[in-house]
């Protein structure tokens, strides 16, 4: 997800069917990583929200475990080609 403005964009797992890692990015650097975020087990389950530590302008969602596999960490540089 790419946003025009930096902000504390909040994400949740509504309608998700598998766990993911949520990576928040600001100025092409990783600012916050939530690893192995689980999906709701019940339709009416209270959904936890995920918000970055600092205002961010991009969010990268990947399959759970890939942050560890590729050793992503806070402060890493990110280059997006689009």
């Amino acid at each position: 997800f790419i946003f025009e403005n930096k902000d504390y964009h909040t994400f949740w797992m509504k309608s998700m069917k598998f766990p993911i890692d949520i990576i928040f990015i600001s100025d092409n650097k990783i600012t916050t990583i939530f690893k192995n975020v689980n999906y709701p087990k019940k339709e009416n389950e209270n959904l936890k929200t995920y918000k970055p530590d600092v205002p961010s302008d991009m969010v990268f969602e990947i399959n759970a475990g890939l942050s560890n596999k590729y050793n992503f960490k806070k402060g890493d540089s990110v280059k997006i080609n689009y």
Side-chain angles (χ1 to χ4, degrees):
F1 300 90
I2 300 173
F3 300 100
E4 285 189 30
N5 299 310
K6 289 183 196 175
D7 203 346
Y8 290 96
H9 301 285
T10 304
F11 280 67
W12 59 348
M13 295 294 286
K14 185 176 182 177
S15 300
M16 287 295 295
K17 303 294 183 200
F18 55 90
I20 61 173
D21 294 344
I22 303 173
I23 302 170
F24 290 89
I25 301 164
S26 181
D27 296 324
N28 298 314
K29 294 208 183 280
I30 294 174
T31 61
T32 309
I33 303 175
F34 291 98
K35 297 179 180 183
N36 200 28
V37 176
N38 256 323
Y39 59 95
K41 305 297 186 218
K42 301 177 192 170
E43 185 176 329
N44 296 327
E45 184 176 330
N46 282 342
L47 296 174
K48 183 177 178 181
T49 57
Y50 300 89
K51 177 172 92 166
D53 297 333
V54 299
S56 300
D57 53 7
M58 286 190 264
V59 176
F60 188 46
E61 295 181 341
I62 57 177
N63 288 342
L66 289 180
S67 291
N68 284 338
K69 180 178 180 177
Y70 295 109
N71 197 29
F72 294 154
K73 58 191 174 305
K74 188 174 182 175
D76 282 352
S77 293
V78 176
K79 181 178 179 182
I80 307 290
N81 293 322
Y82 52 96

